[in-house]
Amino acid sequence: METEFVRWTEDGTEHSAVWRSTSGATPPKKIRVADDSMTADEAYRLACEGTALLWRGDFHNARQLGTAVAARTDRKTRKTSTDPATAFHLHRQTQSRRAGILGMLLVPFDADQTVPLRRAPDVRQAVLAAYGPTDQPTVTTLRDLLGAIGAHEWQKKGVEIPALGARIHPGYGVFSPIRGEYVDLVADTPLPPHTQAFDIGTGTGVLAAVLAHRGVEKVIATELDANALACARANLDRLGYAGQVQVVETDLFPDSRAPLVVCNPPWIPARPTSPIEYAIYDPDSRMLRGFLAGLAEHLEPGGEGWLILSDIAEHLGLRTRDELLTWIDDAGLTVLGRRDVAPRHGKVADRSDALHAARKREVTSLWRLGAQDPPAG
């Protein structure tokens, strides 16, 4: 990828630094140097006008300013709709606008990736995990930096997985398995003959680890994302399953068959706006449809495919149950059974959440799929 630079004038001198953005945002064209004298109202006004603020004050004051600007952004009147799909798209527009405004507060880094601001923490390890190595001065958004710090803490602490009796450590940009109901479905559903299984789109490797923990002798876990590949391998090695689980870089299926093929694709057919969102949003249900279309030819005779999928897209008006069933049938598959579980995350009860009406009706399901019998004669 071509290196991008951000340029600004400070004390009458032209400056430049490498621009880094985890969301792929372009460098801001208008930049003003700001410090502790900047008020939240002025910062909010400048951000709305498209002027970025390169912070030279106290680091903790920058965080407080970001919080104050976020509060002003959130007070803006939100458009609503009684149509679920329209309401979802308006919600995404609001999220995008919010991210754009908060992305106007910038933080500088020296060549050694320390932050040259008063009371700034040592963020070098978090920045290395998020962006990779560099020996040049850089600039990123405070929003990106705080996300990198939070992700690094998750990576160090890990997520407790009761089904494993151990922790999974999500790498930067790899979706954390904090919604445990889908893991429990894979942990509790009776296994078909279990000499081998595939885990399609393994992410952190959590489902591959659960299958290995349940006694599956060989698991092939597939993934395309470089961060996820490294994360899955590290988790499986840490858990002692590296001998049972092979992590393979490929799109969807390996070039073989298995009696059990498991997939937990992104649940919402919409366009992601950052790398981490690829675990949530699946444009035009591409991964879901790709999994269904290729499943039959990768199942051994009598094998099962386990599709783990929330129905929230149906409640948001983005996909219908009939569409899903049609895709299953068109792929030469039949539904052998289904196990459902209600979500347990906090947003289910959060009435202030813009998607609360859909979330309170949401059900996560493990669909047991098999190949259709060939026509007689």
Side-chain angles (χ1 to χ4, degrees):
M1 182 180 295
E2 183 178 349
T3 301
E4 294 185 291
F5 290 86
V6 61
R7 295 176 172 81
W8 71 97
T9 301
E10 188 171 359
D11 297 328
T13 303
E14 295 291 324
H15 295 266
S16 68
V18 173
W19 170 250
R20 300 179 116 182
S21 170
T22 59
S23 64
T26 57
K29 293 189 173 10
K30 294 192 294 181
I31 297 178
R32 173 173 165 176
V33 175
D35 58 24
D36 301 325
S37 64
M38 173 71 63
T39 66
D41 285 338
E42 185 179 15
Y44 176 69
R45 176 182 62 80
L46 289 169
C48 289
E49 293 172 354
T51 299
L53 304 174
L54 180 63
W55 194 253
R56 292 299 191 189
D58 180 89
F59 182 81
H60 291 280
N61 287 348
R63 295 190 64 164
Q64 291 177 352
L65 182 68
T67 300
V69 170
R72 283 158 175 76
T73 305
D74 293 341
R75 283 202 296 265
K76 291 289 288 183
T77 302
R78 298 178 182 178
K79 296 179 181 178
T80 59
S81 173
T82 56
D83 175 66
T86 302
F88 170 76
H89 290 301
L90 290 172
H91 169 66
R92 292 288 284 164
Q93 289 174 9
T94 299
Q95 285 183 314
S96 177
R97 179 178 181 274
R98 187 179 194 272
I101 291 173
L102 297 183
M104 288 295 172
L105 185 53
L106 311 182
V107 180
F109 297 82
D110 288 337
D112 64 356
Q113 296 307 286
T114 57
V115 179
L117 303 176
R118 293 189 307 277
R119 294 199 292 168
D122 184 350
V123 298
R124 286 174 293 180
Q125 290 302 313
V127 170
L128 178 65
Y131 301 105
T134 187
D135 57 0
Q136 301 181 70
T138 61
V139 168
T140 190
T141 70
L142 177 64
R143 178 184 172 88
D144 259 20
L145 174 56
L146 295 179
I149 293 171
H152 191 58
E153 290 303 311
W154 271 115
Q155 186 172 13
K156 289 191 298 182
K157 178 182 177 183
V159 179
E160 184 67 31
I161 306 297
L164 290 172
R167 290 181 175 271
I168 286 287
H169 296 260
Y172 183 81
V174 185
F175 194 71
S176 176
I178 53 176
R179 287 193 54 169
E181 64 266 14
Y182 78 91
V183 178
D184 292 342
L185 283 171
V186 174
D188 297 337
T189 299
L191 287 166
H194 55 275
T195 55
Q196 181 171 310
F198 298 159
D199 175 23
I200 307 302
T202 194
T204 61
V206 62
L207 296 185
V210 168
L211 293 171
H213 183 73
R214 295 191 64 187
V216 177
E217 296 171 14
K218 180 181 179 182
V219 181
I220 298 178
T222 70
E223 183 58 70
L224 273 179
D225 180 78
N227 286 341
L229 285 163
C231 175
R233 288 171 177 144
N235 277 315
L236 292 161
D237 183 61
R238 186 183 299 110
L239 294 168
Y241 297 130
Q244 281 174 263
V245 183
Q246 179 186 8
V247 181
V248 176
E249 182 178 0
T250 190
D251 187 12
L252 293 178
F253 300 95
D255 189 19
S256 56
R257 294 174 179 262
L260 176 62
V261 181
V262 177
C263 183
N264 175 35
W267 292 344
I268 301 178
R271 184 175 62 87
T273 58
S274 64
I276 193 67
E277 287 194 342
Y278 279 91
I280 306 169
Y281 298 105
D282 183 17
D284 299 319
S285 300
R286 284 199 297 259
M287 183 175 177
L288 169 60
R289 291 191 292 167
F291 169 73
L292 293 173
L295 178 58
E297 65 182 275
H298 289 90
L299 282 176
E300 290 186 355
E304 291 187 14
W306 288 1
L307 171 65
I308 298 95
L309 193 67
S310 160
D311 65 355
I312 192 169
E314 298 172 21
H315 302 306
L316 292 173
L318 304 177
R319 183 174 59 232
T320 67
R321 178 59 57 92
D322 284 344
E323 281 181 300
L324 175 62
L325 294 175
T326 297
W327 295 341
I328 290 172
D329 185 64
D330 288 348
L333 301 168
T334 187
V335 178
L336 304 175
R338 195 182 78 224
R339 298 186 67 226
D340 300 333
V341 63
R344 302 188 294 264
H345 58 84
K347 288 189 175 180
V348 173
D350 182 5
R351 293 184 175 276
S352 66
D353 179 63
L355 305 182
H356 174 257
R359 294 193 198 278
K360 71 179 181 180
R361 300 167 59 197
E362 180 186 6
V363 171
T364 302
S365 301
L366 186 152
W367 295 76
R368 294 176 48 242
L369 305 174
Q372 294 175 1
D373 292 331

